[in-house]
């Protein structure tokens, strides 16, 4: 059974800092991995999707990497802004199109 | 439409009543998913529809929960005889293809959710 863990569970950083969010998964047989952000009281917004054959994806200040062999993905946020404050979730798609959500990292970027 | 929409945005009901939650996926998306998120908890998978295939109902917590998807588009999640533990935010998502589709076909797009409160 796939288990997806995100560390840290919560993170508070000053504005402008570069930061890394971590996602670990126990079963490396995944089709893809997707990063989302969730704002309070709202749905999830897709940030990046990495296919199993890819090593990384970039969008603006965001960069996500994937290392299947070690069961890890990281989301790098450059020059963080208060608007980046949200909960970040990683999701793995495995066999049978089964989706497993991570535990989430709650990020707060302070002025 | 431009995105996934859900209605109602909020629903307050009394214990024992039935409720229906609606999801309108992005036009042309063949896959549709329902999740729920209880307060302070992660997302819990409920059900997954893919095209005309039989839905994956493995996440439904009890036989009080059911869902259907008419014409491969709109979906309705029905909860019968609601209980207080059913209180949660119910999220719907859609994707162009199955989750494991190559390229970005498996990318999920979420609706804003329906907040259900059972008194």
């Amino acid at each position: 059974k796939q288990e997806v863990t995100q560390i840290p569970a919560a993170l508070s950083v000053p504005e402008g800092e570069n930061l890394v969010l971590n996602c670990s998964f126990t079963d490396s047989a995944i089709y893809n991995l997707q990063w989302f952000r969730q704002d309070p009281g709202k749905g999830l917004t897709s940030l990046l999707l990495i296919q199993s054959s890819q090593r990384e994806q970039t969008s603006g200040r965001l960069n996500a990497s994937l290392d299947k062999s070690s069961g890890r993905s990281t989301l790098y946020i450059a020059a963080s802004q208060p608007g980046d404050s949200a909960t970040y979730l990683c999701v793995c798609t495995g066999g049978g199109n089964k989706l497993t959500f991570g535990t989430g990292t709650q990020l707060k970027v302070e002025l | 439409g431009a995105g996934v929409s859900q209605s109602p945005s909020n629903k307050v009901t009394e214990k024992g009543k039935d409720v229906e939650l609606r999801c309108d996926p992005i036009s042309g998306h063949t896959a549709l998913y329902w999740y729920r998120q209880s307060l302070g908890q992660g997302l819990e998978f409920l059900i997954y529809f893919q095209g005309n295939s039989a839905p994956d109902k493995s996440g439904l917590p009890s036989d009080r929960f059911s869902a259907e998807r008419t014409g491969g588009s709109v979906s309705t999640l029905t909860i019968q005889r609601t209980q207080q533990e059913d209180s949660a935010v119910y999220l719907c998502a859609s994707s162009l293809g199955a989750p494991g589709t190559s390229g970005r076909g498996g990318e999920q797009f979420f609706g804003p959710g329906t907040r259900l409160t059972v008194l």
Side-chain angles (χ1 to χ4, degrees):
Chain A
K1 178 187 172 186
Q2 177 76 281
E3 292 183 3
V4 183
T5 306
Q6 292 184 245
I7 295 173
L11 180 64
S12 182
V13 300
E15 181 181 13
E17 190 162 301
N18 302 326
L19 58 101
V20 175
L21 307 181
N22 297 292
C23 172
S24 300
F25 46 95
T26 55
D27 185 352
S28 62
I30 61 171
Y31 290 123
N32 58 51
L33 185 145
Q34 194 168 358
W35 282 93
F36 292 91
R37 66 174 283 169
Q38 184 174 29
D39 294 277
K42 298 186 178 180
L44 278 67
T45 302
S46 177
L47 298 174
L48 290 162
L49 182 146
I50 312 175
Q51 296 294 333
S52 62
S53 58
Q54 297 175 322
R55 298 283 293 182
E56 66 177 340
Q57 282 285 330
T58 299
S59 176
R61 294 182 295 108
L62 305 179
N63 176 279
S65 69
L66 175 65
D67 184 344
K68 276 180 55 178
S69 60
S70 65
R72 299 170 70 87
S73 175
T74 61
L75 179 66
Y76 175 82
I77 303 177
S80 58
Q81 303 171 358
D84 295 331
S85 298
T87 295
Y88 289 80
L89 294 165
C90 66
V91 185
C92 294
T93 302
N97 292 318
K98 183 110 176 130
L99 293 132
T100 306
F101 281 79
T103 48
T105 293
Q106 190 170 1
L107 173 66
K108 183 175 182 181
V109 181
E110 300 174 318
L111 290 168
Chain B
V4 179
S5 60
Q6 293 184 245
S7 61
S9 55
N10 279 285
K11 177 71 176 178
V12 180
T13 190
E14 294 179 346
K15 178 181 173 182
K17 301 274 184 157
D18 298 351
V19 295
E20 281 190 356
L21 312 180
R22 178 187 169 106
C23 172
D24 282 88
I26 293 173
S27 178
H29 279 195
T30 64
L32 186 147
Y33 320 75
W34 282 99
Y35 303 91
R36 74 175 175 182
Q37 188 173 34
S38 302
L39 187 64
Q41 302 295 313
L43 267 76
E44 177 186 3
F45 165 77
L46 297 177
I47 188 169
Y48 160 57
F49 295 90
Q50 175 58 54
N52 296 320
S53 302
D56 177 354
K57 303 180 182 180
S58 59
L60 295 179
S62 78
D63 58 8
R64 296 186 296 105
F65 287 72
S66 63
E68 61 178 25
R69 189 179 184 193
T70 53
S73 181
V74 172
S75 177
T76 302
L77 176 69
T78 301
I79 308 173
Q80 296 178 308
R81 306 181 301 283
T82 52
Q83 304 294 313
Q84 288 183 333
E85 61 262 29
D86 298 335
S87 297
V89 175
Y90 289 80
L91 291 164
C92 174
S94 70
S95 60
L96 187 62
T101 302
S102 61
R104 301 192 67 167
E107 185 174 6
Q108 293 189 59
F109 296 86
F110 279 76
T114 293
R115 182 175 296 279
L116 174 66
T117 303
V118 182
L119 302 175

